[in-house]
Amino acid sequence: MEIKEKEYLNRTLKILNKKIEENNKKTVNLSKQLESGIQNLADDYSDLSRGGDLSGAYSNLADIESLEHDIYKENKRLHLQKNSPYFARIDFLPNHKKTTQRVYIGIGNIVDNNKVYVADWRAPISSLYYDYNLGEASFKIDKNEYNGILQLKRQYKIEDGQLLSYFDTDLTINDEILQDILSHNVSVKMKQIVSTIQKEQNSIVRNDKNENMLVQGIAGSGKTSIALHRAAYLLYRHRSTIKSSDILILSPNNIFSSYISDVLPQLGEDNLVETTFAQIARAELKRPIQSRESMLDEIATSPKQEDLNEISYKSSYEYLDALLRFLKGPFLETFSPKTLSYIVNEDIDGEKEIISFSEEQTKDLFFKTFKGYDLYERINKIAWQYAMYFTEKRHYSKEQNQGLKERFKKILYRFLPIRDIDKIYQIFMARENLKASAETSIKYMDKGTYLAIKHYLYGFDHDFSAKYLIIDEMQDFTPVDIYMFKKLWKCPCIVVGDVNQCIEKNVSDEYLQITADFLGCKLLELKKTYRSTREIAKFTNDMIGIKDVEFVNRSGQPPQLFQIKDQINKIIDIIETQCKSYDHIAVICKCNKEAKSIASKLKQKINCTLINEPEDYNNRILITTCATAKGIEFDAVIIPNVDIANYQNKVDENILYVSSTRALHKLFFVCEDTPSVFLKNISLQKE
């Protein structure tokens, strides 16, 4: 059997090399065609521009460029597959058939002379690998269902084109292979996981019901990775209508964006469009926005109850309701139009033709006819209607109509006594008995409020449209932010997050369901953690009382707590003795001040880096804060200053939980004084 498997692998590799060579030749020919086409267009441009049609020539060049890109993309994927052409095989006997279908599964199709040597993991038949144990099984192609018997499931370990081992299994994913993959050191970038996608994850990736989904996944459940693999699935399933540039991912910060940036390229796809909500707010408001990291730093270092109460209120749907009621009620009612009269003609006898729009007419249009629209839409519609009246009377041409419409918009806006976004924000804050920030930059918790006011009055200046939206770290956004997402994007979406990883607020299950309903999402949960060892995962979940968590059966060293006079030397000792085989070790601090202090002391003795930019993550020993490390994972995590004075309230507990869940293999706590009560379940080692 092993000989046959090696023969199949060698045959597949030969086909891969042949395909790559064929594509290289095609690329050379296309480059020549493109170069020739550009030269011909340049030679003929003067003749064509005198009345000739250039569209055909440009279209032909665009087609060549598109084909060249498709071949480049395929070759990139084929080169990736040379290392490991496939990771699994299934044998499926369809009902009423005598011949078993043998299907090898990899990150992309490998086809030669109409024979499929490797099927794409996203192909309908490949779903059998993820969804079924041996026995009766079925898959769908569009609305047609194919039933049969799954006779074999085989998983391969192939590296550098060499077959190292394979396993036959009745399970969805062989536990031995899964544990082997999870036990590896982390890489600089998040990796694709097509060989180990679990059944509950696969149902999210392949959801073909056009449902919006909100995925609540505990730390380490793979929610971000699954959202990215869903994007890859959509690019395969709807390849004629969706491109990578049509999918937008809303990331927490640039460091996290860099961390996930290799997942799609590892699957042979182009990267997605990525931005942060803060970047969108900056573009629209043309003001600096406080970062989430800065906001969390403030409450970590000086958690005033007044500030926490304000954050809690601004994180509620009650606050959103109050804002919308204010904009659509008291503020809107300040719109006070006057009669508009225009002399459009005067004859020799002094008789004047006047076009008038009465105060009552404008009020009626504003408050009744266009009642269901935002303010800027009402003004747009009234301005268009008034401008069209001039055009219909032939006092203006259709070409002049747009300019006239803009003039009417300016006039109509003047009927609002207050049009400044800052002043409107201040009035609303006063009505809610909240302090309005007087700083030049907009507070993190206020960016959604500013955007909502701006959008209601003036709409958006930029087009952020997409065909599919991925929102990550859902729990970090407020209901006002989420309301703005609905205004910004009308496309299908997947929203992922973990309410247990909120730092500045507590989020209930009821809030989760309300958010799912508000977004029109089906609420799904992932309760199995794959990141940490069983010992680390159990400790972190017990810390905050999470129940019903499933663990991968991967054991390791229990978390360790050290109370010692010189914690800097202890951190170095941990790194040099217990973490010497690891590639990425993080010292995760509570706040920036603490991180800078620890970094300055450690740098005197070992090579380490304080994370400020995405490229800093490439280093082996990293000093960072909980806010920056969120969403990222490390081989080992060391958390310093875990004494009772530094970690004592609910915010501190949340910070400690999130920091701890970043660890894959080992977790350490270090302090000089009495340890925090949140660490009572770890045996203390005094030195």
Side-chain angles (χ1 to χ4, degrees):
M1 179 63 73
E2 185 177 347
I3 293 172
K4 288 184 178 179
E5 286 291 6
K6 284 184 176 178
E7 286 175 356
Y8 194 88
L9 175 60
N10 290 333
R11 196 181 316 144
T12 305
L13 287 168
K14 283 180 182 177
I15 292 166
L16 267 171
N17 288 323
K18 186 178 82 169
K19 287 285 179 188
I20 290 169
E21 191 175 336
E22 288 173 355
N23 282 341
N24 286 337
K25 289 177 181 177
K26 287 178 185 177
T27 301
V28 170
N29 289 333
L30 285 170
S31 295
K32 288 178 180 176
Q33 288 180 45
L34 189 62
E35 188 178 340
S36 175
I38 292 169
Q39 185 59 53
N40 291 337
L41 187 61
D43 293 341
D44 299 338
Y45 185 80
S46 56
D47 294 330
L48 288 167
S49 61
R50 292 193 192 99
D53 186 3
L54 292 169
S55 60
Y58 280 120
S59 176
N60 184 49
L61 292 178
D63 289 343
I64 293 171
E65 283 187 324
S66 177
L67 185 56
E68 195 174 32
H69 175 73
D70 289 344
I71 293 172
Y72 166 79
K73 187 174 161 184
E74 183 186 38
N75 246 16
K76 185 179 175 184
R77 191 256 303 165
L78 292 172
H79 275 290
L80 286 171
Q81 279 188 270
K82 280 183 70 175
N83 177 59
S84 180
Y86 46 84
F87 54 82
R89 166 186 153 191
I90 54 172
D91 289 2
F92 180 68
L93 178 63
N95 287 350
H96 314 300
K97 300 282 184 180
K98 293 182 179 179
T99 306
T100 296
Q101 290 179 258
R102 182 182 296 175
V103 182
Y104 287 81
I105 303 169
I107 64 168
N109 291 323
I110 300 175
V111 183
D112 187 51
N113 294 324
N114 296 319
K115 180 181 177 181
V116 179
Y117 282 83
V118 177
D120 194 299
W121 67 277
R122 298 164 289 188
I125 196 169
S126 300
S127 65
L128 295 170
Y129 167 71
Y130 298 105
D131 289 341
Y132 291 96
N133 297 334
L134 298 186
E136 292 184 359
S138 65
F139 66 96
K140 280 186 176 182
I141 299 178
D142 297 324
K143 293 182 180 179
N144 299 317
E145 186 168 358
Y146 299 86
N147 299 286
I149 302 296
L150 187 59
Q151 298 176 322
L152 180 138
K153 289 182 66 172
R154 181 167 290 171
Q155 296 162 51
Y156 300 90
K157 187 174 182 181
I158 302 172
E159 292 179 6
D160 297 324
Q162 298 295 314
L163 178 62
L164 302 181
S165 61
Y166 60 85
F167 302 88
D168 289 349
T169 178
D170 186 31
L171 303 173
T172 304
I173 303 297
N174 184 281
D175 196 49
E176 187 175 341
I177 286 183
L178 181 58
Q179 287 192 48
D180 178 61
I181 290 170
L182 294 175
S183 65
H184 289 172
N185 289 352
V186 295
S187 59
V188 174
K189 308 277 189 179
M190 180 185 281
K191 296 179 181 178
Q192 56 91 352
I193 58 165
V194 290
S195 64
T196 58
I197 292 173
Q198 305 292 292
K199 183 176 180 179
E200 75 276 9
Q201 297 171 329
N202 189 51
S203 65
I204 296 170
V205 170
R206 293 175 185 263
N207 186 325
D208 282 328
K209 297 177 182 177
N210 294 320
E211 292 175 315
N212 293 331
M213 293 178 284
L214 191 157
V215 181
Q216 157 59 31
I218 62 167
S221 58
K223 51 193 173 293
T224 299
S225 190
I226 290 309
L228 294 170
H229 284 70
R230 173 151 180 78
Y233 175 75
L234 292 172
L235 291 170
Y236 174 87
R237 183 80 172 78
H238 304 285
R239 50 192 174 277
S240 61
T241 55
I242 295 182
K243 305 186 296 293
S244 295
S245 57
D246 296 323
I247 301 178
L248 175 68
I249 179 165
L250 209 61
S251 291
N253 55 52
N254 292 332
I255 291 171
F256 182 79
S257 300
S258 174
Y259 177 62
I260 65 172
S261 63
D262 269 10
V263 174
L264 271 295
Q266 286 170 10
L267 296 170
E269 298 290 353
D270 294 331
N271 234 325
L272 310 179
V273 178
E274 181 278 326
T275 189
T276 66
F277 191 43
Q279 286 172 326
I280 289 173
R282 274 194 295 272
E284 283 296 319
L285 299 170
K286 299 173 180 61
R287 295 264 299 276
I289 310 289
Q290 181 191 28
S291 69
R292 175 170 175 77
E293 290 75 19
S294 173
M295 184 271 288
L296 290 177
D297 211 56
E298 286 181 4
I299 65 168
T301 51
S302 55
K304 299 172 187 171
Q305 192 58 48
E306 182 184 3
D307 293 338
L308 293 174
N309 291 343
E310 182 177 322
I311 287 171
S312 178
Y313 179 49
K314 288 181 178 178
S315 299
S316 69
Y317 280 93
E318 289 79 9
Y319 177 81
L320 172 62
D321 288 342
L323 176 61
L324 296 180
R325 282 199 308 271
F326 165 70
L327 291 174
K328 296 176 181 180
F331 173 71
L332 199 68
E333 288 161 10
T334 64
F335 183 77
S336 182
K338 295 181 173 59
T339 298
L340 302 173
S341 296
Y342 303 93
I343 300 170
V344 294
N345 199 15
E346 185 174 357
D347 61 21
I348 55 174
D349 298 323
E351 289 291 324
K352 297 175 182 175
E353 182 185 351
I354 298 174
I355 292 178
S356 292
F357 305 107
S358 69
E359 174 187 332
E360 291 72 22
Q361 182 181 357
T362 303
K363 273 187 177 180
D364 192 60
L365 287 169
F366 189 86
F367 289 107
K368 294 179 182 177
T369 307
F370 302 125
K371 183 179 180 180
Y373 295 94
D374 288 341
L375 186 146
Y376 80 94
E377 293 173 303
R378 301 186 196 198
I379 285 180
N380 276 341
K381 289 179 179 295
I382 296 169
W384 180 85
Q385 191 163 313
Y386 286 178
M388 282 302 297
Y389 189 80
F390 276 81
T391 303
E392 287 163 5
K393 292 291 183 181
R394 299 186 179 178
H395 293 295
Y396 273 80
S397 68
K398 288 183 179 179
E399 290 74 23
Q400 295 171 313
N401 184 270
Q402 183 60 35
L404 186 59
K405 177 189 168 183
E406 292 303 315
R407 284 165 60 189
F408 270 119
K409 280 173 63 176
K410 288 181 181 178
I411 292 167
L412 291 166
Y413 270 115
R414 290 191 195 117
F415 296 148
L416 286 165
I418 300 172
R419 301 181 292 278
D420 180 76
I421 296 169
D422 261 316
K423 288 181 181 176
I424 296 166
Y425 158 78
Q426 289 163 8
I427 292 168
F428 175 65
M429 288 292 110
R431 288 173 61 91
E432 295 299 304
N433 295 315
L434 297 170
K435 277 192 235 172
S437 173
E439 297 177 19
T440 306
S441 63
I442 294 170
K443 288 280 191 182
Y444 174 83
M445 292 301 297
D446 288 335
K447 65 186 183 307
T449 303
Y450 268 89
L451 263 186
I453 295 169
K454 198 261 180 178
H455 177 265
Y456 191 74
L457 261 73
Y458 301 110
F460 288 128
D461 299 329
H462 303 84
D463 179 13
F464 301 100
S465 60
K467 290 185 179 178
Y468 196 79
L469 176 67
I470 299 172
I471 300 174
D472 205 349
E473 300 290 349
M474 160 273 301
Q475 73 280 355
D476 292 347
F477 297 111
T478 69
V480 179
D481 297 338
I482 294 166
Y483 170 78
M484 292 315 303
F485 298 160
K486 292 182 69 173
K487 291 291 184 180
L488 282 158
W489 298 287
K490 308 297 182 186
C491 60
C493 66
I494 181 170
V495 182
V496 299
D498 179 14
V499 293
N500 302 303
Q501 293 187 60
C502 288
I503 291 175
E504 74 278 17
K505 62 192 182 225
N506 292 322
V507 179
S508 65
D509 291 340
E510 182 185 19
Y511 174 91
L512 198 60
Q513 188 61 60
I514 291 169
T515 300
D517 294 341
F518 185 72
L519 284 169
C521 288
K522 181 179 181 180
L523 178 59
L524 303 165
E525 289 193 71
L526 295 174
K527 293 186 175 182
K528 189 170 185 177
T529 178
Y530 299 93
R531 176 184 295 141
S532 307
T533 61
R534 184 182 186 88
E535 289 78 6
I536 293 173
K538 189 174 186 313
F539 162 74
T540 55
N541 289 301
D542 286 349
M543 185 197 296
I544 60 171
I546 302 177
K547 307 294 183 185
D548 304 321
V549 175
E550 297 177 57
F551 307 98
V552 173
N553 190 24
R554 183 170 74 90
S555 291
Q557 175 182 285
Q560 291 183 272
L561 170 60
F562 298 96
Q563 184 181 349
I564 189 168
K565 290 182 179 179
D566 187 350
Q567 67 172 348
I568 295 298
N569 279 333
K570 185 61 189 175
I571 291 170
I572 294 169
D573 176 61
I574 290 170
I575 291 169
E576 292 179 344
T577 58
Q578 300 202 53
C579 302
K580 58 184 177 183
S581 63
Y582 294 145
D583 296 333
H584 284 280
I585 304 154
V587 180
I588 303 181
C589 303
K590 182 179 175 181
C591 61
N592 272 314
K593 182 180 178 182
E594 183 181 294
K596 288 176 181 176
S597 173
I598 294 285
S600 67
K601 293 171 184 174
L602 283 177
K603 280 181 178 179
Q604 295 174 22
K605 301 184 177 185
I606 58 171
N607 184 21
C608 60
T609 303
L610 180 65
I611 296 183
N612 289 309
E613 301 295 336
E615 54 268 22
D616 293 335
Y617 185 70
N618 298 343
N619 294 280
R620 179 173 177 259
I621 302 168
L622 303 165
I623 293 80
T624 185
T625 63
C626 171
T628 302
K630 202 172 182 187
I632 303 174
E633 55 189 30
F634 306 91
D635 293 316
V637 167
I638 304 167
I639 305 176
N641 296 318
V642 291
D643 56 78
I644 197 166
N646 202 30
Y647 287 94
Q648 56 180 300
N649 57 41
K650 183 58 183 172
V651 169
D652 298 336
E653 183 182 34
N654 294 342
I655 291 172
L656 205 55
Y657 170 75
V658 174
S659 299
S660 300
T661 57
R662 304 304 94 206
L664 271 79
H665 310 305
K666 290 187 178 180
L667 175 62
F668 305 92
F669 301 93
V670 184
C671 61
E672 296 181 357
D673 298 315
T674 305
S676 168
V677 66
F678 305 129
L679 302 176
K680 61 181 181 295
N681 292 330
I682 306 180
S683 58
L684 176 62
Q685 299 180 47
K686 290 187 177 183
E687 295 185 17

Coordinates of all heavy atoms in Angstrom, one line a residue, residues 432-470:
E432 N -27.5 63.9 28.1 CA -27.3 62.6 28.7 C -26.6 62.7 30.0 O -26.2 61.7 30.6 CB -26.6 61.7 27.7 CG -27.4 61.3 26.5 CD -28.7 60.6 26.8 OE1 -28.6 59.6 27.4 OE2 -29.7 61.1 26.4
N433 N -26.3 64.0 30.5 CA -25.5 64.2 31.7 C -24.1 63.5 31.6 O -23.6 63.0 32.6 CB -26.2 63.7 32.9 CG -27.5 64.5 33.2 OD1 -27.5 65.7 33.1 ND2 -28.6 63.7 33.4
L434 N -23.5 63.6 30.4 CA -22.2 63.1 30.2 C -21.2 64.3 29.9 O -21.6 65.3 29.3 CB -22.2 62.1 29.1 CG -23.0 60.8 29.3 CD1 -23.1 60.0 28.0 CD2 -22.4 60.0 30.4
K435 N -20.0 64.1 30.2 CA -19.0 65.1 29.9 C -18.5 65.0 28.5 O -18.2 63.9 28.0 CB -17.7 64.9 30.8 CG -17.8 65.5 32.2 CD -16.4 65.5 32.8 CE -16.5 64.8 34.1 NZ -15.2 64.6 34.7
A436 N -18.6 66.1 27.8 CA -18.1 66.2 26.4 C -16.6 66.4 26.4 O -16.1 67.3 27.0 CB -18.8 67.3 25.6
S437 N -15.9 65.6 25.6 CA -14.5 65.7 25.5 C -14.1 67.0 24.8 O -14.7 67.4 23.8 CB -13.9 64.5 24.7 OG -12.5 64.7 24.5
A438 N -13.2 67.7 25.4 CA -12.7 69.0 24.8 C -11.4 68.9 24.0 O -10.9 69.8 23.5 CB -12.5 70.0 25.9
E439 N -10.9 67.6 23.9 CA -9.7 67.4 23.2 C -9.9 67.5 21.7 O -10.9 67.3 21.2 CB -9.1 66.0 23.6 CG -8.8 65.9 25.1 CD -8.3 64.5 25.5 OE1 -7.9 63.8 24.5 OE2 -8.3 64.2 26.7
T440 N -8.7 67.7 21.0 CA -8.8 67.8 19.5 C -9.1 66.4 19.0 O -9.9 66.3 18.0 CB -7.4 68.2 19.0 OG1 -7.1 69.5 19.6 CG2 -7.4 68.4 17.5
S441 N -8.5 65.4 19.6 CA -8.7 64.0 19.1 C -10.0 63.5 19.7 O -10.4 63.9 20.8 CB -7.6 63.1 19.4 OG -7.5 63.0 20.8
I442 N -10.7 62.7 18.9 CA -12.0 62.1 19.4 C -11.7 60.9 20.2 O -10.9 60.0 19.9 CB -12.9 61.7 18.2 CG1 -13.3 63.0 17.4 CG2 -14.1 61.0 18.6 CD1 -13.9 62.8 16.1
K443 N -12.4 60.8 21.4 CA -12.2 59.7 22.3 C -12.7 58.4 21.6 O -13.6 58.4 20.8 CB -13.1 59.9 23.6 CG -12.5 60.9 24.5 CD -11.4 60.4 25.3 CE -10.9 61.3 26.4 NZ -9.8 60.7 27.2
Y444 N -12.0 57.3 21.9 CA -12.3 56.0 21.3 C -13.8 55.7 21.5 O -14.4 55.3 20.5 CB -11.5 54.9 22.0 CG -11.9 53.5 21.5 CD1 -11.3 53.0 20.3 CD2 -12.7 52.7 22.2 CE1 -11.7 51.8 19.8 CE2 -13.1 51.4 21.7 CZ -12.6 51.0 20.5 OH -12.9 49.7 20.1
M445 N -14.4 55.9 22.6 CA -15.8 55.5 22.9 C -16.8 56.5 22.2 O -18.0 56.2 22.1 CB -16.1 55.5 24.4 CG -15.4 54.4 25.1 SD -15.8 52.8 24.6 CE -17.6 52.7 24.9
D446 N -16.2 57.6 21.6 CA -17.1 58.6 21.0 C -17.1 58.6 19.4 O -17.8 59.3 18.8 CB -16.8 60.0 21.4 CG -17.2 60.3 22.9 OD1 -18.1 59.6 23.3 OD2 -16.6 61.1 23.5
K447 N -16.2 57.7 18.9 CA -16.0 57.8 17.4 C -17.3 57.4 16.7 O -17.7 57.9 15.7 CB -14.9 56.9 17.0 CG -15.0 55.4 17.2 CD -13.8 54.6 16.9 CE -14.0 53.1 17.1 NZ -14.5 52.7 18.4
G448 N -18.0 56.4 17.3 CA -19.3 55.9 16.7 C -20.3 57.0 16.8 O -21.1 57.3 15.8
T449 N -20.4 57.7 17.9 CA -21.3 58.9 18.1 C -21.1 60.0 17.0 O -22.0 60.4 16.4 CB -21.2 59.4 19.5 OG1 -21.4 58.4 20.4 CG2 -22.2 60.5 19.7
Y450 N -19.8 60.3 16.9 CA -19.5 61.4 15.9 C -19.8 60.9 14.5 O -20.4 61.7 13.7 CB -18.0 61.7 16.0 CG -17.6 62.8 16.9 CD1 -17.3 62.6 18.2 CD2 -17.5 64.1 16.4 CE1 -17.0 63.6 19.1 CE2 -17.2 65.2 17.2 CZ -16.9 64.9 18.6 OH -16.5 65.9 19.4
L451 N -19.5 59.7 14.2 CA -19.9 59.2 12.8 C -21.4 59.1 12.6 O -21.8 59.5 11.5 CB -19.3 57.8 12.7 CG -17.9 57.6 12.0 CD1 -17.6 56.1 11.8 CD2 -17.9 58.3 10.6
A452 N -22.1 58.7 13.6 CA -23.6 58.7 13.5 C -24.2 60.1 13.2 O -25.0 60.2 12.4 CB -24.2 58.1 14.7
I453 N -23.7 61.1 14.0 CA -24.1 62.4 13.8 C -23.8 62.9 12.4 O -24.6 63.5 11.7 CB -23.5 63.4 14.9 CG1 -24.1 63.0 16.2 CG2 -23.8 64.8 14.5 CD1 -23.3 63.7 17.4
K454 N -22.5 62.7 12.0 CA -22.0 63.1 10.7 C -22.8 62.5 9.6 O -23.3 63.1 8.6 CB -20.5 62.8 10.5 CG -19.8 63.5 9.4 CD -19.7 62.8 8.2 CE -19.0 63.6 7.1 NZ -18.8 62.9 5.9
H455 N -23.0 61.2 9.7 CA -23.8 60.5 8.7 C -25.2 61.0 8.6 O -25.8 61.2 7.5 CB -23.8 59.0 8.9 CG -24.6 58.2 7.9 ND1 -25.9 57.8 8.2 CD2 -24.3 57.7 6.7 CE1 -26.4 57.2 7.1 NE2 -25.4 57.1 6.2
Y456 N -25.9 61.2 9.7 CA -27.3 61.6 9.7 C -27.4 63.0 9.1 O -28.4 63.2 8.3 CB -27.8 61.7 11.2 CG -29.3 61.8 11.3 CD1 -30.1 60.8 11.0 CD2 -29.9 63.0 11.6 CE1 -31.5 60.9 11.0 CE2 -31.2 63.2 11.7 CZ -32.1 62.1 11.4 OH -33.4 62.3 11.4
L457 N -26.4 63.8 9.3 CA -26.5 65.2 8.7 C -26.1 65.2 7.3 O -26.7 65.9 6.4 CB -25.7 66.2 9.6 CG -26.4 67.0 10.6 CD1 -26.9 66.1 11.7 CD2 -25.6 68.2 11.0
Y458 N -25.0 64.6 7.0 CA -24.3 64.8 5.7 C -24.0 63.6 4.8 O -23.6 63.7 3.7 CB -23.0 65.6 5.9 CG -23.1 66.9 6.6 CD1 -22.7 67.0 7.9 CD2 -23.7 68.0 6.0 CE1 -22.8 68.2 8.6 CE2 -23.9 69.2 6.7 CZ -23.4 69.3 8.0 OH -23.6 70.5 8.7
G459 N -24.3 62.4 5.4 CA -23.9 61.2 4.7 C -22.4 61.0 4.8 O -21.7 61.6 5.5
F460 N -21.9 60.1 3.9 CA -20.5 59.7 3.9 C -19.8 60.4 2.7 O -20.4 60.5 1.7 CB -20.2 58.2 3.9 CG -20.6 57.6 5.2 CD1 -21.4 56.5 5.3 CD2 -20.0 58.0 6.4 CE1 -21.7 55.8 6.5 CE2 -20.3 57.4 7.6 CZ -21.1 56.3 7.7
D461 N -18.5 60.7 2.9 CA -17.7 61.3 1.8 C -17.1 60.2 1.0 O -16.7 60.4 -0.2 CB -16.6 62.2 2.4 CG -17.2 63.4 3.2 OD1 -18.3 63.8 2.8 OD2 -16.5 63.8 4.1
H462 N -16.9 59.0 1.6 CA -16.2 57.9 0.9 C -17.1 56.7 0.7 O -18.1 56.5 1.4 CB -15.0 57.5 1.7 CG -14.0 58.6 2.0 ND1 -14.2 59.5 3.1 CD2 -12.9 59.0 1.4 CE1 -13.2 60.3 3.1 NE2 -12.4 60.1 2.1
D463 N -16.7 55.9 -0.3 CA -17.5 54.7 -0.6 C -16.7 53.5 0.0 O -15.6 53.2 -0.4 CB -17.6 54.5 -2.1 CG -18.4 53.2 -2.5 OD1 -18.9 52.6 -1.5 OD2 -18.3 52.8 -3.6
F464 N -17.3 52.9 1.0 CA -16.6 51.7 1.6 C -17.3 50.4 1.2 O -17.2 49.4 2.0 CB -16.7 51.9 3.2 CG -16.0 53.1 3.7 CD1 -16.8 54.3 4.0 CD2 -14.6 53.2 3.8 CE1 -16.2 55.4 4.5 CE2 -14.0 54.4 4.3 CZ -14.8 55.5 4.6
S465 N -17.9 50.4 0.1 CA -18.8 49.2 -0.3 C -17.9 48.0 -0.4 O -16.8 48.0 -0.7 CB -19.5 49.5 -1.6 OG -18.6 49.8 -2.6
A466 N -18.6 46.8 -0.2 CA -18.0 45.5 -0.3 C -19.1 44.5 -0.6 O -20.3 44.8 -0.5 CB -17.3 45.1 1.0
K467 N -18.7 43.4 -1.1 CA -19.7 42.3 -1.4 C -19.8 41.3 -0.3 O -20.8 40.6 -0.2 CB -19.3 41.6 -2.7 CG -19.5 42.4 -4.0 CD -19.2 41.6 -5.2 CE -19.4 42.5 -6.5 NZ -19.1 41.8 -7.7
Y468 N -18.8 41.3 0.6 CA -18.8 40.5 1.8 C -18.0 41.1 2.8 O -16.9 41.7 2.6 CB -18.3 39.1 1.5 CG -18.7 38.1 2.6 CD1 -20.0 37.5 2.6 CD2 -17.8 37.7 3.6 CE1 -20.4 36.7 3.6 CE2 -18.2 36.8 4.6 CZ -19.5 36.3 4.6 OH -19.9 35.5 5.6
L469 N -18.5 41.1 4.1 CA -17.8 41.8 5.2 C -17.5 40.8 6.3 O -18.3 39.9 6.7 CB -18.8 42.8 5.7 CG -18.3 43.6 7.0 CD1 -17.1 44.5 6.6 CD2 -19.5 44.5 7.5
I470 N -16.2 40.9 6.8 CA -15.8 40.1 8.0 C -15.5 41.1 9.1 O -14.7 42.0 8.9 CB -14.5 39.3 7.7 CG1 -14.8 38.3 6.6 CG2 -14.1 38.6 9.0 CD1 -13.5 37.6 6.1

